[in-house]
Structure formats: C-alpha cells, structure tokens
Amino acid sequence: MSDLENVLSDLAADGDQLDRLVSGLEPARWRLPTPATGWTIADQIAHLAFIFKLARLAASDPEAFQYLIRDAEHNFDGAVNAALADYRDDSPEVLLGRWRAERAGAVSALAAVPPDQTVPWLVNPLPPTVLGSAGIMEQFAHGQDIADALGARLERSDRLRYLVIFAVLTRDFGYLTRGLTPPAEQFRFEISAPSGELWAYGPADAEQRVSGPAEDFCLLVTRRRHRDDLRVTAVGAVADHWLDIAQAYRGPAGSGRTPGQFDDLTARA
C-alpha cells in the first residue's frame, strides 16, 4: 500500500478501537471527567468529531473549510471550544453517530486527494499523509484521556509509527508555542516500536539524541504523561530541554500531567 493508504488504514483502525471503548458506555458515564480539566468523555468525542469534520471539508470542500475556520486564525482553541457547543446537547447515541460519520467522511475525502497535492489547513497547506497523521495524533491524545477516565488501557501497536513521524516533523512546535527560537541543530530520534523494530530519524551522528519506546514517546509529545513517568531519554542539553516542552500540536501546551499521576506505565517498567 502507499503511505497515504497506510496512514488512513491506521487512522481508521485507531478510531474503531476507541469506538469499541465508548460505544457500550451507559449515558451517565459519558459525563465522567477526564484528565483534561473541564472536559468530559462526551467533550472528548465531540472534539474528535469536529476535528474530523475540519479534515473532511479541507479535503473535499476548501471553501466550506475556510468559512468554518474564519475565527480560528487568531484564536484556534477558542474557536474549537465554541464549536463544541454544537455537540453539547447531543445524546451519547447521536454524538457517537456524528463522530462515526465524520471520521469515515474524513478518511474517504483524504483518500481521494492525490498524494502529491496538498489540502488547506489551519496554518499551512498539508499533504494528505501529514493531515492523516495529525488525525492519528488527535485520536491518540483524546483517546488516552478517555481511557484514563475509564481506567482502561488501549492497545498500542506499530500503528504508532505515523504519530512518531508526525512528532519528529513537528519538533519545533513546543518552542514556537512558548515564543522560543527552535535550535538550528538537528536531533537524532531512535524510537523502539511495539514490535521491537527500531524507527530512526535524523542524522546518525547528531549530538542531540532522543530515544525510548514508541508509546512513551507518543505520550510525551501529546503531553498525556509527565516525562518523569516515561522511559524517554535524551543525550545533550538541548534535547533534554526538549523533553520538557515537546508537543506535537499547535496552540497552548496546557498544563500537561504531573509526575506520578498515573501508575500504568510504572507498572510495566
């Protein structure tokens, strides 16, 4: 399969796994708080439904996409939070149906984009493979919040590859969101896949190096675990500082998570 087909296959599989986790929940459990302050499980699914709606329109109807994000250029978080109001009165059944329709629509729309073309996005146009990888990142992050709220554990497989690649491509987001100048020197990333394969990116002789298991790395760059609770290590002062600020998404970093807040990764170390 092509890279785009692989990305979209992984995106769909991750969505199906999260769908299985929430589809059988009693209505009251949709109102459970998640580790993201102020967000319930329903809010997390509504956010994903909206993000997939954006991706679907970006790939299939650029004019409608531009209209939808007209207020997001200056305050993306505010625009997204405002958009969630459209889902707030939905029953769990309706909300689940909307998320299913939007994610299926996004996958189909992205699949129809020629791989050598780009689609409009929030800051710069993106190739469909990169936008699909961003969707994998979104489902990983918000799915982890839902799993944490339910005390559940999601299966992590080599489908993490495209999230790892996306995090490498967006290395500088953590600097930019804090008004810092990204370092000119390149990093070497050596990430161990769940299968045991080594995913390596960047110059082999780079002085600044980051390594660790893929799941831990993805939890770090989505700020769903504190670095102290993860088996991600750095060589070099610049790379070590990056572990404090790493994020694979634009906008405010948020409060992140505190050391020792979760014991699931400690238990498997």
Side-chain angles (χ1 to χ4, degrees):
M1 292 196 295
S2 68
D3 280 346
L4 180 57
E5 289 172 324
N6 284 325
V7 167
L8 296 180
S9 175
D10 290 352
L11 178 63
D14 284 347
D16 289 344
Q17 180 185 198
L18 183 55
D19 191 309
R20 290 191 295 272
L21 182 62
V22 300
S23 61
L25 293 179
E26 297 176 357
R29 302 197 77 191
W30 283 75
R31 297 191 293 273
L32 286 175
T34 68
T37 304
W39 283 43
T40 64
I41 289 176
D43 292 329
Q44 300 279 359
I45 294 297
H47 175 86
L48 289 174
F50 178 67
I51 290 297
F52 280 114
K53 179 178 182 178
L54 287 180
R56 174 178 61 80
L57 290 175
S60 63
D61 191 343
E63 289 187 5
F65 169 78
Q66 294 295 348
Y67 180 80
L68 195 60
I69 67 162
R70 64 194 184 282
D71 297 324
E73 292 183 13
H74 306 294
N75 183 7
F76 176 68
D77 277 4
V80 170
N81 290 336
L84 296 185
D86 181 50
Y87 301 85
R88 197 143 287 147
D89 295 330
D90 287 351
S91 68
E93 182 180 14
V94 170
L95 179 56
L96 186 59
R98 293 180 73 178
W99 174 48
R100 286 170 173 168
E102 292 295 0
R103 75 176 195 263
V107 168
S108 295
L110 287 169
V113 178
D116 60 344
Q117 293 187 14
T118 61
V119 297
W121 197 238
L122 303 170
V123 177
N124 299 308
L126 296 176
T129 52
V130 176
L131 187 50
S133 298
I136 291 174
M137 182 274 296
E138 290 280 350
Q139 280 191 152
F140 180 97
H142 295 285
Q144 186 64 51
D145 287 339
I146 292 170
D148 289 334
L150 295 172
R153 180 166 175 78
L154 292 166
E155 173 206 2
R156 301 304 188 190
S157 69
D158 281 14
R159 293 198 303 270
L160 294 176
R161 176 193 293 270
Y162 290 104
L163 174 46
V164 171
I165 294 172
F166 186 74
V168 171
L169 291 174
T170 59
R171 183 204 69 166
D172 292 349
F173 279 5
Y175 298 103
L176 297 173
T177 197
R178 293 167 175 81
L180 303 174
T181 301
E185 53 193 309
Q186 297 184 63
F187 287 11
R188 173 71 168 183
F189 293 91
E190 295 185 347
I191 307 302
S192 302
S195 66
E197 182 181 354
L198 179 66
W199 297 333
Y201 309 97
D205 60 351
E207 294 185 359
Q208 306 299 323
R209 312 177 73 86
V210 173
S211 61
E215 180 177 10
D216 293 50
F217 181 76
C218 293
L219 289 166
L220 176 79
V221 299
T222 56
R223 298 182 63 79
R224 263 49 189 186
R225 293 292 186 273
H226 193 276
R227 64 170 289 183
D228 290 354
D229 295 331
L230 298 171
R231 296 170 293 174
V232 180
T233 60
V235 174
V238 177
D240 186 72
H241 175 242
W242 183 80
L243 297 189
D244 290 326
I245 65 172
Q247 64 180 79
Y249 54 91
R250 284 191 177 271
S255 58
R257 305 294 179 260
T258 57
Q261 185 174 352
F262 305 92
D263 61 6
D264 55 335
L265 296 179
T266 302
R268 64 183 177 82

